[in-house]
Amino acid sequence: MTSTNQRAELQSQIWKIANDVRGSVDGWDFKQFVLGTLFYRFISENFTNYIEGGDDSVNYANLPDDVITSEIKDDAIKTKGYFIYPSQLFVNIAKNANTNPNLNTDLAAIFSAIESSANGYPSEDDIKGLFADFDTTSNRLGNTVESKNKRLAAVLKGVAGLNLGDFEDNRIDLFGDAYEFLISNYAANAGKSGGEFFTPQHVSKLIAQLAMHKQDAVNKIYDPAAGSGSLLLQAKKHFDNHIIEEGFFGQEINHTTYNLARMNMFLHNINYDKFKIVLGDTLIDPQLGDEKPFDAIVSNPPYSIKWIGNDDPTLINDDRFAPAGVLAPKSKADFAFILHSLSYLSSKGRAAIVCFPGIFYRGGAEQKIRKYLVDNNFVETIISLAPNLFFGTSIAVNILVLSKHKTDNKTQFIDASGEDFYKKETNNNVLTNDHIDKIMEMFDSKEDVEHVAKSIDNSKIEENDYNLSVSSYVEPKDTREKINIVELNKEISKTVEKINSLRADIDVIVKEIEQ
């Protein structure tokens, strides 16, 4: 079976489980149980693989718990970041799930034990609370213990039956793909509330390529609004041959999504010492300042959300915002995220940020921030994408590429919103690999392409009041029908002759009637 067929079969099976088992539970709420179970299976198999070390004579799942020495446990936690006893493994719990009257409480105890195994170790913050959203006692699973257990057992059995193969086979990342497939489908079905944190893989791929362009190695990659981690993981997928030396970093404000991002790192076989995802408000409580600067920054921050802004007078002295001399408006935090990213960017790196188009032409504080960015030559490229690429919104978003190592005083504008730059699929548009390659080729060459790409001197942008809208600089193609004026005039002359002839004939008839 090919990788494509294997992936398609798996996605079909896993979506069937998600729909069949959830019953009356809302799909968006139920996602935690399916995703959590998939994660539980992954870390169990990953841990088993580590303990067995490729020795076919060792079957960790069949060992009694009491043969595990403190030395074995200590060494495993230092390496993997957590510990799972044989009796706690997914395979052993799923095997007896249908007949276990204490399934929900047993699972709760196991999840607690896995998390607490990291207490006092370097991995503690990466493991703590990972299963917090997998509430096995939740009434969403049923009103009685029996009904809760029945649904939990169905999920366990369903995930146990998935043919995920060997997760060490790098040819196809089935665990990771299954996870992202579920997240994207839940987001698509949940509408805006579900899609706010998820950047579709095809858009993530473009953003990752822009941020990592022509960098043979980066020290680390960062997302200040990490969501489920999809943007960070695209960098890993696309740049396996590149070196991300110190790993993946991100901050996320939503607790549930923060847990998803950390799970997603593990599911893509990124060890705890190679990622640092933190919880909190990036704008007013940034927690990764000690890790800067970053050679690559990718982000899809929430569009035009409210923030404290100048209600906190100390923020204007913040190193991130002070250079611009003004704070982003309280009702629109977009430029606060942009200035934060710029502050965390290294002198050799790039930041690629998904933006709401309005920030590039509105006046007031936003215009002053654009002036700061252009006058200091930080804006490399602005790309206008097609509408309807994201779940829950039809907005035609822009991508802003920031750089601190430009060699000219020009800003590139690319209009990739036309029909040549997207493919229609069901309810959404998508970017194919060919579309991404075409955009990247223009981004790399910086050559003008009629009706599509234009590089503009920053002095011209200053003359245009620092308007950075793509449509202000890239002239759209005239799709109106071309008319041959000479031929048209000939046709009009013929028509006039016919009309005059008819009028003459009518005059003759009228005279005859009057006589």
Side-chain angles (χ1 to χ4, degrees), residues 211-468:
M212 307 266 295
H213 185 60
K214 285 190 173 177
Q215 297 199 70
D216 294 329
V218 300
N219 63 348
K220 52 188 98 168
I221 186 166
Y222 170 58
D223 186 344
S228 63
S230 59
L231 276 169
L232 293 172
L233 289 165
Q234 268 301 326
K236 176 184 183 291
K237 287 182 180 181
H238 189 70
F239 293 92
D240 276 343
N241 295 327
H242 292 61
I243 301 172
I244 301 177
E245 294 165 343
E246 297 173 51
F248 305 80
F249 296 77
Q251 184 161 343
E252 171 56 36
I253 193 171
N254 180 284
H255 192 277
T256 296
T257 315
Y258 155 71
N259 282 337
L260 287 179
R262 291 189 296 157
M263 286 184 182
N264 223 351
M265 294 294 137
F266 281 110
L267 280 160
H268 286 82
N269 227 15
I270 300 174
N271 211 39
Y272 77 91
D273 57 346
K274 281 293 185 181
F275 75 84
K276 188 173 184 180
I277 308 293
V278 296
L279 178 66
D281 187 329
T282 298
L283 298 182
I284 62 174
D285 183 26
Q287 296 180 35
L288 294 171
D290 291 342
E291 301 290 348
K292 67 179 183 180
F294 296 90
D295 289 343
I297 296 177
V298 292
S299 192
N300 178 16
Y303 308 147
S304 300
I305 61 165
K306 295 178 181 178
W307 76 306
I308 193 169
N310 57 20
D311 279 350
D312 181 353
T314 66
L315 282 175
I316 194 59
N317 299 316
D318 189 301
D319 290 345
R320 299 169 296 165
F321 311 127
V326 65
L327 295 173
K330 290 190 295 182
S331 60
K332 303 174 183 71
D334 308 74
F335 271 115
F337 282 104
I338 290 169
L339 291 174
H340 170 91
S341 296
L342 180 67
S343 173
Y344 279 45
L345 186 64
S346 75
S347 59
K348 65 170 251 189
R350 282 190 178 91
I353 306 166
V354 180
C355 298
F356 180 76
I359 71 169
F360 294 116
Y361 58 78
R362 293 190 297 235
E366 292 181 316
Q367 183 187 37
K368 292 177 182 177
I369 295 172
R370 293 197 302 272
K371 180 181 187 303
Y372 162 72
L373 294 174
V374 172
D375 287 351
N376 287 277
N377 205 27
F378 291 136
V379 182
E380 181 172 2
T381 301
I382 297 172
I383 305 169
S384 174
L385 295 181
N388 212 29
L389 291 172
F390 289 79
F391 301 120
T393 179
S394 60
I395 296 171
V397 302
N398 291 178
I399 297 178
L400 168 66
V401 183
L402 299 173
S403 170
K404 292 182 178 177
H405 59 273
K406 290 172 62 182
T407 56
D408 60 20
N409 285 303
K410 292 184 176 183
T411 298
Q412 183 189 37
F413 297 87
I414 298 176
D415 183 357
S417 63
E419 292 183 357
D420 292 340
F421 291 95
Y422 69 89
K423 177 184 176 185
K424 180 71 175 175
E425 277 192 8
T426 58
N427 296 326
N428 282 81
N429 295 326
V430 297
L431 300 174
T432 66
N433 288 336
D434 287 343
H435 298 141
I436 293 171
D437 290 344
K438 195 185 301 184
I439 293 170
M440 289 305 302
E441 185 178 337
M442 289 186 290
F443 175 74
D444 177 62
S445 71
K446 295 296 188 290
E447 293 180 2
D448 290 351
V449 178
E450 191 175 15
H451 307 305
V452 179
K454 186 85 173 174
S455 289
I456 303 292
D457 286 327
N458 288 345
S459 60
K460 297 293 184 183
I461 296 173
E462 179 183 1
E463 291 173 10
N464 197 21
D465 295 327
Y466 296 97
N467 186 323
L468 291 176

Side-chain angles (χ1 to χ4, degrees), residues 69-128:
T69 65
S70 58
E71 289 79 14
I72 292 174
K73 184 175 181 181
D74 181 67
D75 183 66
I77 298 171
K78 287 176 180 175
T79 303
K80 299 303 296 179
Y82 58 91
F83 192 85
I84 306 177
Y85 281 101
S87 66
Q88 298 170 335
L89 292 170
F90 173 86
V91 65
N92 287 329
I93 298 302
K95 181 169 55 180
N96 302 313
N98 287 332
T99 57
N100 183 357
N102 303 311
L103 179 61
N104 67 329
T105 53
D106 283 353
L107 281 173
I110 290 170
F111 296 159
S112 176
I114 293 172
E115 290 181 11
S116 62
S117 70
N119 290 350
Y121 287 85
S123 60
E124 181 175 350
D125 289 341
D126 297 309
I127 304 296
K128 184 185 295 180

